[in-house]
Amino acid sequence: MNDTFLKACRGEEVPYTPIWIMRQAGRYLKEYREVRGKSNFLTMCKTPELAAEVTLQPIDILNVDAAILFSDILIPCEAMGQGLDFHEGKGPILSPAIRDEETVNKLYVPDPEDKMKFVPDAVRLLRKELADRVPLIGFAGAPFTTATYMIEGGTSKNFLNTKRMIYECPELYKKLMDKITATITEYLKAQISAGAQAVQIFDTWGGIFCPSDFRENALTYVQSIIGDLKKAMASGSIEEVPIIYFVGESAGLLEEIKTSGADVHGVDWRINLDDAISRLGENAVVQGNLDPLSMFLPQEKIEIRVQDVLSRAKSAGGHIFNLGHGVVPETPRDNVIALVEMVHKHSRR
Ligand code: CP3
């Protein structure tokens, strides 16, 4: 088994730096577009055989050191009772937007093995199909990032409705966040019970806050999830697996983020990795942090950036190479294949 990813997460010695790529199963792969052409995105998420098929594509094509379950962070919103659809070119649509007491009260905390059974089913199928070739990462959105989609009804530019709820109706926001937090906690436990060997919590929009607002309105809920998972791991009710916390635009928030309780912290490209490590603390284990759009550079320039990231990671307790955010659909696939080779080659000890 290739366990370099799990070893790096635990801060153990590895023969080379492991790499996987956020959104590695996606539209930049013609193999993905082929499956996607015959189906729609939500159907793919809800059909374990299709989800498993596209999860495995980047393992064969890129030679990455971990698989990430093909799904979406918005799946739990639908299971909580909100309508979810993905419109071609427009992104996700959630309806009705959750903005008042009545819509919050109608949401429930679902049993993931009932309302989202296709997710743990896909995990179980993938563990069989992977046969320990590489570890499988499960994931969920962080409560705050999930809440932005539920409150805005989709993607947003300035998160006006979300911040208005936080500032004008803090009790309502807390009520919503408590429901989302309970949902995500159970959802991650179900993925781990089904066989996920690590989990990543995506807080893509955490960077819209000043540090104190981030702590109060986003981080607290992540700490609660991680605390619950760690307790369940300590009691033996779920397997002990690494927890990765990724926050987008986190450079102003690292002193807060280091208290998350996660084993690994995902860092984007807006900060040098050595700076991030010194602020996260001596033995911090980090994941990142190449600009996803640097994949459009000529390969010899990508290579220089790879070596730069690897050398800046030397002070870390452990390093998992990744992009600082998801790979975009227009990305030249050959550059992504080359990136994986470069990371393996230049980090070999
Ligand atoms: O990383 C992986 O390969 C696993 C699969 C994965 C997807 N979404 C597949 C997807 C993961 C981990 C996600 C997480 C996700 N989803 C996040 C957090 C990470 C990030 O990128 O910031 C967020 C914010 C979402 C919400 C979401 N899903 C949006 C806003 C959109 C529309 C924008 C877009 O890229 O099309 C999606 C759709 C989506 N999720 C696609 C994929 C492959 C594209 C769907 C398609 O094939 O048309």
Side-chain angles (χ1 to χ4, degrees):
M1 169 175 179
N2 172 358
D3 62 354
T4 49
F5 165 77
L6 292 175
K7 283 192 162 138
C9 287
R10 293 190 215 106
E12 295 170 13
E13 289 284 319
V14 280
Y16 57 85
T17 301
I19 172 172
W20 68 277
I21 293 161
M22 288 193 271
R23 292 282 181 101
Q24 66 188 16
R27 286 161 293 181
Y28 74 105
L29 291 177
K30 60 178 186 292
E31 292 83 353
Y32 173 87
R33 293 194 302 268
E34 207 167 288
V35 179
R36 175 73 173 77
K38 290 181 259 170
S39 187
N40 73 54
F41 175 66
L42 264 184
T43 306
M44 284 169 64
C45 292
K46 292 177 184 177
T47 312
E49 293 71 24
L50 291 177
E53 181 182 351
V54 294
T55 300
L56 294 174
Q57 286 175 345
I59 314 308
D60 298 322
I61 299 164
L62 306 179
N63 193 31
V64 281
D65 300 290
I68 180 157
L69 173 69
F70 182 82
S71 185
D72 199 85
I73 64 161
L74 303 178
I75 293 292
C77 308
E78 191 179 47
M80 291 177 78
Q82 193 177 23
L84 171 65
D85 204 357
F86 284 84
H87 286 220
E88 216 59 60
K90 270 207 291 187
I93 310 281
L94 294 108
S95 60
I98 309 296
R99 297 199 191 151
D100 54 22
E101 192 86 40
E102 195 192 335
T103 43
V104 172
N105 286 342
K106 277 194 188 147
L107 295 170
Y108 37 92
V109 176
D111 172 0
E113 282 286 359
D114 173 25
K115 290 281 189 294
M116 303 181 263
K117 185 168 185 299
F118 49 87
V119 171
D121 278 349
V123 171
R124 286 182 280 263
L125 178 61
L126 272 162
R127 282 300 306 277
K128 233 185 274 166
E129 291 185 347
L130 278 164
D132 284 343
R133 248 171 91 196
V134 292
L136 177 65
I137 306 170
F139 71 89
F144 165 68
T145 289
T146 306
T148 66
Y149 287 94
M150 297 179 79
I151 298 167
E152 304 293 338
T155 305
S156 174
K157 277 212 174 73
N158 59 6
F159 303 94
L160 175 67
N161 297 295
T162 308
K163 283 196 172 172
R164 281 191 66 172
M165 189 193 284
I166 289 170
Y167 296 141
E168 294 177 345
C169 314
E171 275 116 48
L172 183 63
Y173 178 73
K174 186 174 181 301
K175 195 170 185 184
L176 171 62
M177 289 295 276
D178 286 342
K179 280 190 172 177
I180 300 173
T181 301
T183 299
I184 303 290
T185 303
E186 291 314 306
Y187 183 52
L188 287 173
K189 282 185 187 166
Q191 291 183 41
I192 295 167
S193 296
Q197 291 153 291
V199 288
Q200 175 154 321
I201 300 171
F202 285 92
D203 226 344
T204 306
W205 304 120
I208 70 162
F209 283 126
C210 65
S212 60
D213 272 356
F214 172 74
R215 196 185 327 128
E216 190 177 343
N217 301 300
L219 183 63
T220 322
Y221 301 95
V222 171
Q223 288 168 329
S224 153
I225 293 174
I226 295 176
D228 255 28
L229 292 179
K230 294 271 176 187
K231 228 186 277 164
M233 288 175 196
S235 76
S237 72
I238 55 172
E239 205 68 35
E240 222 161 289
V241 306
I243 301 170
I244 308 166
Y245 182 38
F246 168 78
V247 182
E249 302 209 32
S250 62
L253 303 171
L254 293 171
E255 284 71 19
E256 308 297 330
I257 288 170
K258 73 191 241 192
T259 68
S260 73
D263 303 287
V264 181
H265 287 104
V267 178
D268 75 19
W269 65 95
R270 296 169 182 89
I271 183 168
N272 286 324
L273 204 48
D274 48 344
D275 283 353
I277 293 160
S278 72
R279 286 175 50 203
L280 285 167
E282 266 312 290
N283 280 315
V285 179
V286 291
Q287 177 175 278
N289 76 334
L290 217 49
D291 181 348
L293 299 198
S294 68
M295 289 294 96
F296 293 90
L297 284 166
Q299 288 187 9
E300 60 277 13
K301 290 201 171 153
I302 295 177
E303 190 153 24
I304 292 167
R305 294 195 180 201
V306 165
Q307 288 173 285
D308 182 57
V309 169
L310 287 172
S311 83
R312 289 181 190 277
K314 290 218 165 88
S315 55
H319 178 217
I320 299 105
F321 206 106
N322 207 315
L323 300 179
H325 200 176
V327 60
V328 302
E330 297 81 358
T331 304
R333 78 186 239 136
D334 287 349
N335 286 2
V336 186
I337 295 171
L339 169 70
V340 175
E341 272 176 28
M342 289 170 196
V343 170
H344 287 160
K345 178 176 120 193
H346 289 294
S347 65
R348 194 161 285 282
R349 335 229 196 269

